[in-house]
Amino acid sequence: MAMQFYASPEQIMRDRSELARKGIARGRSAVVVSYAGGVLFVAENLSSTLHKVSEIYDRIGFAAVGRYNEFENLRRAGVRMADLNGLSYDRRDVTGLALANSYAQILGAIFTEQSKPFEVEICVAEVGATPGEDSLYRCTYDGSVTDEPGRMAMGGQAEAISGVLKSHHRPDMSLGDAVKVAVQALSTVGGEGGAARTIAGHQLEVAILDRNRRGRTFRRITGAALTGLLDGDAAGEAVAEGDRAQTPTTPTEEGHKPTTSAGSADLEDKPGDKSDT
């Protein structure tokens, strides 16, 4: 009679952690930083349809690295949960912390109960009335959740990228400066022989949560606006910043304003395969 193979629980957890970390490290990196006008997302992404950065709710954004099919399922679940809570109670009851805790519970259950963990790392960002009130939450494959201090990096060589962000990031930066710092941090890794590299605009996915907008604050920056930011063009930054004529509102004030369901437009299935991004 053949004997069954035995592995201790500690070894099983180590093997699952190693599998998840390797999968995340293979993915291209993403950076999330707080700046004077809101929260900035910058991710390396060659696809124009398989997004790594998306909207969850009025003032909440989502960024992820790892396996696309896995973090896309989590994003869709977050959009549904946010919409349900906002419609059942009040839009002000939908917070980044609540979503981060829900993601942590889901990832923790998958990590301990299933044979294969999710190979993903997630950021849930909520923009506040001031940079000091912005919230960035990191959710990892094992269900851990941490509150990041206004900046964070995910994906391969995240520690090296985080070091550059720590040296150059300031909460009072303009959008143009924040984009430059994020791209500089991403460019410091992945080059030949450890050298810095150049990342073109079409290789980047850039979006912001604009604290000066009413209702839905998430906006993508593409085309000429993104090119202008990368080139340091003041006119390009003005285009990217958008119309600032409207009066800024706090989350409490806009909680009673009827807006369309944030994130619902992104619930449809996207074309393409489900490979790592």
Side-chain angles (χ1 to χ4, degrees):
M1 180 178 178
M3 296 183 61
Q4 293 184 349
F5 176 75
Y6 171 79
S8 66
E10 293 83 358
Q11 184 61 47
I12 294 174
M13 294 297 106
R14 283 195 295 268
D15 291 343
R16 291 177 182 175
S17 296
E18 183 179 1
L19 172 65
R21 284 196 297 266
K22 287 182 177 179
I24 294 169
R26 285 194 295 267
R28 296 182 179 89
S29 301
V31 167
V32 185
V33 297
S34 176
Y35 72 101
V39 176
L40 170 69
F41 304 86
V42 180
E44 287 189 76
N45 191 357
L46 299 179
S47 174
S48 61
T49 56
L50 305 181
H51 296 302
K52 301 171 70 172
V53 176
S54 298
E55 176 187 31
I56 293 289
Y57 210 60
D58 291 349
R59 305 181 70 83
I60 301 174
F62 173 97
V65 295
R67 296 192 67 84
Y68 173 80
N69 62 317
E70 294 176 347
F71 67 68
E72 175 65 9
N73 285 335
L74 292 171
R75 183 196 66 83
R76 290 162 62 94
V79 170
R80 291 192 177 100
M81 183 179 67
D83 279 345
L84 178 61
N85 289 340
L87 292 173
S88 300
Y89 306 103
D90 191 279
R91 301 186 77 89
R92 292 171 296 177
D93 294 326
V94 182
T95 64
L97 178 59
L99 284 167
N101 286 333
S102 297
Y103 281 138
Q105 293 173 15
I106 294 172
L107 290 170
I110 292 172
F111 181 76
T112 57
E113 297 173 7
Q114 298 188 12
S115 58
K116 177 196 172 298
F118 273 18
E119 301 171 37
V120 298
E121 190 170 358
I122 293 172
C123 171
V124 178
E126 181 176 10
V127 66
T130 64
E133 297 177 15
D134 293 342
S135 300
L136 307 181
Y137 301 102
R138 182 196 302 268
C139 302
T140 56
Y141 59 86
D142 61 352
S144 300
V145 57
T146 56
D147 185 7
E148 298 292 334
R151 61 183 182 274
M152 61 176 289
M154 304 179 293
Q157 298 179 293
E159 291 186 3
I161 297 175
S162 297
V164 178
L165 291 177
K166 184 177 180 180
S167 301
H168 297 87
H169 172 258
R170 303 187 321 276
D172 60 346
M173 289 190 303
S174 65
L175 176 59
D177 291 339
V179 171
K180 291 177 183 177
V181 169
V183 174
Q184 177 186 355
L186 293 172
S187 302
T188 56
V189 300
E192 185 176 355
R197 58 197 173 99
T198 300
I199 303 178
H202 69 275
Q203 298 175 297
L204 295 171
E205 181 179 358
V206 180
I208 61 172
L209 295 174
D210 190 342
R211 75 174 82 256
N212 295 287
R213 291 174 66 92
R214 292 190 178 99
R216 299 171 65 172
T217 62
F218 183 88
R219 292 196 302 117
R220 297 190 183 278
I221 300 176
T222 58
L226 177 57
T227 302
L229 286 174
L230 295 175
D231 293 340
D233 185 3
E237 181 171 350
V239 173
E241 288 282 5
D243 182 14
R244 295 309 182 102
Q246 52 187 333
T247 304
T249 60
T250 63
T252 300
E253 292 172 339
E254 68 186 26
H256 297 287
K257 297 181 181 296
T259 61
T260 55
S261 180
S264 299
D266 288 334
L267 277 176
E268 69 272 9
D269 292 330
K270 295 185 175 64
D273 62 10
K274 295 184 177 181
S275 59
D276 297 348
T277 58

